[in-house]
Amino acid sequence: MAAFTKKHEVMFSQALFLLVAVLLVEMARSVDMTNFKKCEQSGFCRRNRKIEQGNTPYAADLDSARLENGILHLNVLNTRTGILLKLELYALQNQMVRMKINEVTPLKPRYEVPDVLVGEPPTASWELGERSEMTLEGTSGESSFILTAQPFRLDILYGGQLVTRVNSRGLMNFEHLRTKKVDPPAEDENAGDGEEGEGEEEKEKEKEEPAETDKLEEEDGMWEETFKTHHDSKPNGPSAVAMDFTFPGFEHVYGIPEHADSLALKTTRSGEPYRLYNLDVFEYELDSRMALYGSVPFMLAHNSDRTIGLFWLNAAETWIDITSNTADKGMFGKMMDFVKGDEEVPEMNTHWISESGIIDVFFLMGPKPTDIFRQYASLTGLPYMPPLFAIAYHQCRWNYNDEEDVKTVDEKFDEHDIPYDVIWLDIEHTNGKRYFTWDKHKFPNPIAMQENIASKGRKMVTIIDPHIKQDSGYHMYSEGKDGSYFIRNKDENEFQGWCWPGSSSYPDFTREDVRSWWSSKMSFDNYEGSTSSLFTWNDMNEPSVFNGPEVTMHKDAKHAGGWEHRDVHNLYGIYVHRATAEGQIARTDGRERPFVLSRAFFAGTQRYGAVWTGDNAAEWSHLKASIPMCLSISLAGIPFVGADVGGFFKSPDAELLTRWYQAAAYQPFFRAHAHLDTKRREPWLFPDLNMAAMRSAIRARYALLPFWYTLFYEATQTGVPPMRPMWMEFPEDSKTFAMEDQYMIGSDLLVHPVTDAGATSVNIYLPGPNSTSIVRHTVVRDEARWYRMDTFDKMVGPTDVSIHVSLTTIPVYQRGGSILPTKERIRRCSSLGAGDPYTLRIAVDAQGFAVGNLYKDDGHTFNFQKGQYLYRQFEFKDSKLSSKDLAPNSEFKTSSWIERIVVIGLSESPNHITLTSQGNTQSLEFGFSAQGVLSIRKPAVNIADDFEIALS
C-alpha cells in the first residue's frame, strides 16, 4: 500500500506541475501583445524600414545583359559595398513574369523555397527591344518590361499598360552573407622591431580604404538578438532581402493572410506593417496586422479595369508595409486637390521585407480576377477535391469526455433531427497527450465507437499535433530518436520545447524521410484503434512551443541540410499537413480521399486540405471578423476555410450562437468548436426558437451540398474559390471593392450574415446592371435580378436596401440567370442522401435565361480521376430547360432523379409543360403561384440523362 501511495503521490505531483505550467502558459499567452514582436523589436525589419526612399545604391549592369533560353540574365551592383548580385527575369506562360535576385558568389548557399511550386513554371521567351545607355526593353506576348540601369528599376507592363513598378522608391536591400568582424587586439606600444615606419603605409591604406564588403555600418541585432529572455545567436549574420513594388492606378490591395483585419488591406504609414510569421496566438486581437497561424505571401491589386497579383516566394519571417498616395492624404490635402482640380493617379505602394532567403517574386498579369486564380494555381497547385462529408457540418469540442459522451451527443443530433457528418476529439482522447494513442480508461473501445457512428454514415476526427512527448516508452519518440528525425538546437543537440505533453521534440518535416515515417503512422496497422472512418486534425503546427520566443521555435534551431529554422519557419505547418494527408491516402493504397484540417498554412496548402481561423472568441466582433478573414484566405488560393462556430473562447449567448450558425452555414468549412472551460453549447441546450433556427441553418447547408460540391470541383479545375468577395463577381463596380459584410457563394448566391446583437434589419447592396437599350427596333431591358431564397421576393439592382430580419432568417439572394441544384430531403448525414432526388431551382434573368452546373461522383474515392463522375449543365432559354453533358468522356451511374423544378421570375403561367428524354415525350404536372413561382412536380428524369422540358 505504501508503494502504491508513493507512486500516486509522484503522479499527482507531476500532474499538478503540468497543470500549473499550462495555466501559467495560458495566462501568459492570453492577448499579451508584449509576447509578440513589433517591427522595431525585429532587427531586420527595423533596419529595412528606416531605409530612405530614393537613395538606392543598386545599379544594373546593362553590358552584362544576355538572353539564355529566352531568360534575361544580368548583374546588379551594390555601389556602396561592391557586392554583385545576379538578376534573372523570366517570361512565363499564362501571362506571368518571374524575377529572381541572388548573390553571384555567396559565402554559402542562400535558402530557396522548395516544394511549394508544383514544378518549374513553363517559360516563354523575351525578345529584347530598344536599348540605350540607361534602359533596356523586352517583350513576350502581352507582357513587356523597361529596365532602368541607375538607379536600378524595373517597370512591368501588360498590354502596353504599366501595372507594376519594381524598386521605383529605391527600397531594395539585399544583405549579403559575410564573416563577422572581429575587433583587432590592442596594439602593443612596445611592439615593432626592425626599422621605424616599416608597414605604416599599408596600415594607413587599410584605414583609408576598407574592404568593399565591409562598407556596411554594423547595427545591433545583426549578429545576435534577444527578445525578452530568448537569445538568437544568428550565426550567419544579417541576411535580409527587401524590395518595393508599386501598383499604379490601384487603390485597393488584398490577400497576404492571415490577419484579423479588413478585407481591403489598410495603409501602414502610421502603424505596424503586416507580418507573416506563423504563430500560436491565444485569443487574438481584431483590427490587427500582427502575425497569426498561417502565412501566404500573395497579394492582389484590383481596380475597375483589371486585377493583378504578386507572389513573394519566401518562407522566412516577412513584414509588408502598404502606403497609398490617396488613402494617406489627410482631409485637408484631399480638399485642396478638389479645389485645384488635381486628379492625381492613385497608386498602392508596398514594401516587402524577409529575414533570409533570396528575392523570388512572381507577377501575375490577370487581367480578370478568374485569370489570377488560374495563374496562381499553375504555380502553387490546384485545390484538392474534398470528400463530400468534409463540406457538411462538423461537431467539435475540447473535449468530448469519453465514449459515452460521444454516443450521447451522436444520439441527441438524431433525437432533434439535426444532421451532422463528423464528430471530433481533441487532445484529451489520447494517453497523456501521446498522439496516435487513446486514453484506455475514457476510450477503451475506439474501433467500436467509430463503427457505431460509421453505421449511420458518419465520421470521426482525432487531433494529432507535431510535438512528440519525450518518453522513451512512447513509440513515436523512441522511433524518432533512433532515426534522428527531430530538429536540433544550435548546439546540434535534440531541440526540446514545452507543449501540451510537457517536454517535447519536433520532427523535422522538411525531410522527405521524416514525412514518409510520419505518413506511415497513419496506417491502420500503426495507428492502433483507427478505422477508415477516422480522419485527422493537425493543430499547433506553426510550430507552437510554449516556452519558446513568441510561443514558437528558436530561429537558430537546425534542420536538415544545415538550414536554420528562420529560413523554413513558415513551411513547417504545410509540411505537417502534407505528410498527414499523404499518410491518409497511403493507408487505403490511394483509393480514398483524405481529410486533414490544419491550423498553420502557407502557399500550396490548398493541395492538402482545409484550414480554419484559429482561436477566436464568442463575441459579435469575432463573428463579424470571420467574414473578411475567410475571404482573405480564399483570395490567397486556399478555398477550404472556415471559422469556429460560436467562438472558441468564452460562452456565446443564444442569439450570438444562432447568428453564427446562420453565417457559417454559408462558409466553406462548417464546424462548431469550443474551449475546455466554456459551457456546453450543442444546439438542443438552447431555447426551442434558437435550436430551431440553428437546425434550419444546418439543414440549409445540407440542401445546398450539391451546389457546394460542384463549386469545390470547379475550384479543382480553375483555382477559383467558392467563397468570393463581391468585387470578384462585379469587378467594375467600385462600391464592392472594400465590401466585407456580404459576399458571394459561387456566382449565384449573395449572403449577408447578421453580425450585430439585436438586429432587426440589415443594409445590403444588390449590384448589377440596370439599363435599357434598343436592339433591332426592340426594347431590351438589362437589369440585375435578385430573388430572396426564403420568400422568392424579387429585387432589381443596383440598389441599396434595408432588409428586415428575424431571429430565424438572414438575407440570402439567388442571382437572376442562375440554376441551383439542391437536395431537399432531410437526412441524418450527407452519405445517406447520396441517391436522393434533386430539386432544380431556376431564377431567370430579365431575358428569361438561366444556367447552372452539377458535379457528382461517389463522394469519397479518387475514382473521379479515372473518369467516374458526371458533370452536367442545365440551361433555361426560350422557355425550355435542357441538360447537356459537360464531360462526355466520363461515366457515372446514379439512381438520383429530378424530383422537382422551381422556376422563379416568370411573368405568366405556362399552359402546358412537356418532358422529352430518350425519345419519349410526356406531359408534366405543375403549379403557378401568385408570386410568379412555377413548380414542376416529379419530372422523374435521371439526373445523368439528356432531356428537354418545354413550357408553352
Side-chain angles (χ1 to χ4, degrees), residues 243-315:
M243 185 67 79
D244 65 90
F245 305 98
T246 296
F247 306 120
F250 293 87
E251 294 184 88
H252 297 89
V253 290
Y254 313 87
I256 58 168
E258 183 181 25
H259 303 97
D261 201 22
S262 57
L263 173 64
L265 301 174
K266 299 185 179 80
T267 177
T268 62
R269 182 180 293 277
S270 58
E272 285 292 297
Y274 286 93
R275 189 185 186 198
L276 297 179
Y277 191 60
N278 294 358
L279 292 173
D280 177 4
V281 182
F282 187 83
E283 195 176 348
Y284 50 81
E285 288 190 348
L286 302 182
D287 301 314
S288 172
R289 299 154 197 160
M290 73 175 294
L292 291 178
Y293 315 95
S295 300
V296 184
F298 178 51
M299 178 180 285
L300 302 89
H302 176 75
N303 62 24
S304 57
D305 294 324
R306 67 173 61 244
T307 310
I308 60 173
L310 187 149
F311 177 39
W312 175 269
L313 184 52
N314 193 299

Side-chain angles (χ1 to χ4, degrees), residues 914-922 924 941 946-950:
T914 58
L915 164 67
T916 302
S917 179
Q918 298 181 347
N920 299 315
T921 301
Q922 66 184 77
L924 298 177
V941 61
D946 292 343
F947 65 84
E948 181 180 276
I949 295 176

Side-chain angles (χ1 to χ4, degrees), residues 786-795 813 904 931:
W786 297 92
Y787 302 90
R788 185 154 170 169
M789 286 287 286
D790 55 349
T791 65
F792 302 113
D793 290 345
K794 183 185 84 171
M795 301 200 72
Y813 282 81
I904 314 163
Q931 284 181 291

Side-chain angles (χ1 to χ4, degrees), residues 446-467:
I447 291 179
M449 174 179 63
Q450 292 164 59
E451 289 175 343
N452 177 58
I453 63 169
S455 68
K456 302 178 182 180
R458 291 169 176 153
K459 317 294 180 186
M460 175 171 280
V461 166
T462 52
I463 195 167
I464 298 179
D465 292 347
H467 47 264

Side-chain angles (χ1 to χ4, degrees), residues 137-178:
E137 298 184 16
T139 61
S140 179
E142 291 289 297
S143 301
S144 59
F145 70 84
I146 303 172
L147 193 151
T148 303
Q150 190 165 4
F152 164 70
R153 167 175 164 165
L154 180 66
D155 291 343
I156 298 176
L157 301 88
Y158 185 76
Q161 182 176 343
L162 179 64
V163 292
T164 307
R165 299 198 305 264
V166 181
N167 201 40
S168 62
R169 295 190 295 146
L171 300 179
M172 174 181 171
N173 190 28
F174 201 107
E175 294 182 340
H176 63 276
L177 299 179
R178 69 206 77 176

Side-chain angles (χ1 to χ4, degrees), residues 879-895:
S879 298
K880 294 179 181 178
L881 173 65
S882 62
S883 172
K884 69 178 181 180
D885 195 347
L886 294 179
N889 295 325
S890 68
E891 183 178 1
F892 184 77
K893 293 183 179 180
T894 176
S895 60

